């Protein structure tokens, strides 16, 4: 398979119970020919026996998995991905993720599967967000037993609304907000914490936590290693209460998956549709298949220590 497309989108409140808006939004997703969609804010999708979830499956032509409390979801092309296990989320979550072990079918049955998750970190608590990011880091340590009996770490791809900022230092990345320029005092509290020196600073801890666990920010990687500045475009627009443009929505991947990435960009949507834009990740399907067959990525990065 030459090209694999993954879309990340926090579609605001799942269209706010407006069926036409919801249909048009998912037709827009479909127009980009996705093989995997990682969605947040699935409000109401579990009502009436998951009726809205099945409606979205029909629009997209993809199979869907809805997380606990209808907070997050994963949609996948069943010709390309097959779920072999669902991973339970720890009770600590405010908005539980949808976490799966998925087989990439073009790689073959004996290839390593992927740990995949769609997540939405807590809106109001920096402490809670850090705990949730620490739980997500365990997905980069998920084990799989190969047909020849070896125990290895699976490659991992996760994506979501982080409600916090990437650590600064990448050319083109939206600058961190200045604390005193965020007009909304509660929101100022929600997006900052008191550091060791007693000063309140903007929250970048989830990003740092995930990258410490070898889950690299895919857009950051494309911008720094490949000079792809479109990768770090804003995913949320500036507004009077929340501050300037920011890159709240991010994808993270382990080394092997990262090597298969060919492009990252942001598809902007009008604010009347959603308060978040769509992030698009493109991978070389052939390269990913090689990675999952342990032919390209360093085996040591996957093997248990």
């Amino acid at each position: 398979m030459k090209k694999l497309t993954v879309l990340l989108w926090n579609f605001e409140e799942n269209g706010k119970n407006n069926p036409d808006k919801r249909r048009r939004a998912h037709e827009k997703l479909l127009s980009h020919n996705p093989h995997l969609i990682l969605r947040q804010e699935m409000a109401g999708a579990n009502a009436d026996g998951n009726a809205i979830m099945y409606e979205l499956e029909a629009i997209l032509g993809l199979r869907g998995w809805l997380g606990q409390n209808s907070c997050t979801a994963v949609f996948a092309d069943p010709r390309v991905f097959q779920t072999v296990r669902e991973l339970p989320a720890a009770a600590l979550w405010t908005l539980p993720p949808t976490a799966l072990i998925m087989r990439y079918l073009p790689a073959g049955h004996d290839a390593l599967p992927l740990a995949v998750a769609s997540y939405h970190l807590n809106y109001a608590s920096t402490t809670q967000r850090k705990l949730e990011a620490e739980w997500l880091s365990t997905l980069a340590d998920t084990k799989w037993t190969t047909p020849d009996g070896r125990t290895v770490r699976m490659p991992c791809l996760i994506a979501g609304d982080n409600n916090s900022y990437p650590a600064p230092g990448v050319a083109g990345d939206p600058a961190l907000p200045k604390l005193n320029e965020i007009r909304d005092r509660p929101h100022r509290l929600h997006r900052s914490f008191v550091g060791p020196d007693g000063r309140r600073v903007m929250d970048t801890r989830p990003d740092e936590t995930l990258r410490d666990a070898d889950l690299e920010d895919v857009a950051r990687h494309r911008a720094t290693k490949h000079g792809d500045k479109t990768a770090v475009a804003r995913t949320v627009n500036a507004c009077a209460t929340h501050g300037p443009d920011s890159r709240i929505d991010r994808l993270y991947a382990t080394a092997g998956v990262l090597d298969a990435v060919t492009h990252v960009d942001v598809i902007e949507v009008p604010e009347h549709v959603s308060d978040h834009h769509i992030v698009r990740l493109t991978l070389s399907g052939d390269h990913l298949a090689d990675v999952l067959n342990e032919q390209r990525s360093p085996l040591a990065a996957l093997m248990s220590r």
Side-chain angles (χ1 to χ4, degrees), residues 14 22 44-58 66:
N14 209 24
R22 190 168 60 237
N46 60 345
D48 298 324
N50 289 357
I52 289 175
M53 186 65 180
Y54 289 119
E55 167 200 299
L56 298 182
E57 282 188 329
L66 183 63

Side-chain angles (χ1 to χ4, degrees), residues 200-216:
R200 184 165 288 277
V201 295
M202 303 312 298
D203 185 21
T204 60
R205 290 189 298 183
D207 176 61
E208 292 156 357
T209 296
L210 293 174
R211 291 195 293 112
D212 280 348
D214 284 337
L215 279 159
E216 183 57 82

Side-chain angles (χ1 to χ4, degrees), residues 10-280:
N10 183 347
F11 175 43
E12 188 175 13
E13 296 181 37
N14 209 24
K16 298 183 176 180
N17 206 30
N18 182 327
D20 288 338
K21 182 177 183 179
R22 190 168 60 237
R23 174 182 52 78
R24 290 192 301 270
H26 287 80
E27 287 174 347
K28 180 175 181 64
L29 289 174
L30 180 60
S31 72
H32 296 290
N33 301 311
H35 302 97
L36 186 65
I37 299 175
L38 305 169
R39 271 283 326 272
Q40 296 81 47
E41 296 200 20
M42 293 293 297
N46 60 345
D48 298 324
N50 289 357
I52 289 175
M53 186 65 180
Y54 289 119
E55 167 200 299
L56 298 182
E57 282 188 329
I59 294 169
L60 294 167
L62 305 175
R63 184 181 174 188
W65 291 263
L66 183 63
Q68 297 173 31
N69 304 334
S70 198
C71 296
T72 58
V74 173
F75 294 90
D77 184 337
R79 299 166 300 179
V80 180
F81 288 100
Q82 177 190 67
T83 290
V84 296
R85 190 179 304 162
E86 297 183 23
L87 298 173
L92 61 88
W93 282 87
T94 303
L95 302 168
T98 305
L100 309 167
I101 295 175
M102 305 190 86
R103 197 181 301 283
Y104 178 56
L105 296 177
H109 186 271
D110 290 343
L112 295 174
L114 282 160
V116 174
S118 170
Y119 65 87
H120 192 162
L121 300 188
N122 186 279
Y123 178 81
S125 170
T126 59
T127 303
Q128 178 70 15
R129 283 197 294 269
K130 189 170 186 300
L131 290 173
E132 291 170 348
E134 289 169 348
W135 183 88
L136 286 170
S137 74
T138 66
L139 297 177
D141 194 30
T142 309
K143 304 297 197 303
W144 186 258
T145 301
T146 65
D148 60 2
R150 292 175 298 115
T151 299
V152 302
R153 285 191 181 126
M154 279 181 281
C156 180
L157 174 65
I158 64 174
D161 177 349
N162 293 270
N163 274 319
S164 54
Y165 307 99
V170 177
D173 217 352
L176 284 181
K178 295 180 179 177
L179 188 65
N180 60 3
E181 293 180 4
I182 296 177
R183 298 182 189 177
D184 186 282
R185 293 286 295 269
H187 188 70
R188 191 186 304 179
L189 172 70
H190 300 158
R191 290 289 173 86
S192 64
F193 67 96
V194 177
D197 62 358
R199 293 188 303 162
R200 184 165 288 277
V201 295
M202 303 312 298
D203 185 21
T204 60
R205 290 189 298 183
D207 176 61
E208 292 156 357
T209 296
L210 293 174
R211 291 195 293 112
D212 280 348
D214 284 337
L215 279 159
E216 183 57 82
D217 173 356
V218 180
R220 181 188 185 101
H221 175 80
R222 290 298 303 177
T224 55
K225 303 296 185 183
H226 301 275
D228 188 357
K229 299 301 186 290
T230 62
V232 290
R234 67 183 183 181
T235 69
V236 175
N237 293 357
C239 67
T241 56
H242 287 32
D245 292 345
S246 54
R247 191 165 63 85
I248 298 298
D249 308 271
R250 299 189 293 276
L251 298 109
Y252 291 87
T254 50
V257 180
L258 204 64
D259 293 341
V261 174
T262 58
H263 191 61
V264 181
D265 65 341
V266 174
I267 303 163
E268 294 212 346
V269 297
E271 288 191 50
H272 69 269
V273 174
S274 182
D275 55 348
H276 291 248
H277 301 307
I278 300 164
V279 185
R280 175 169 52 190

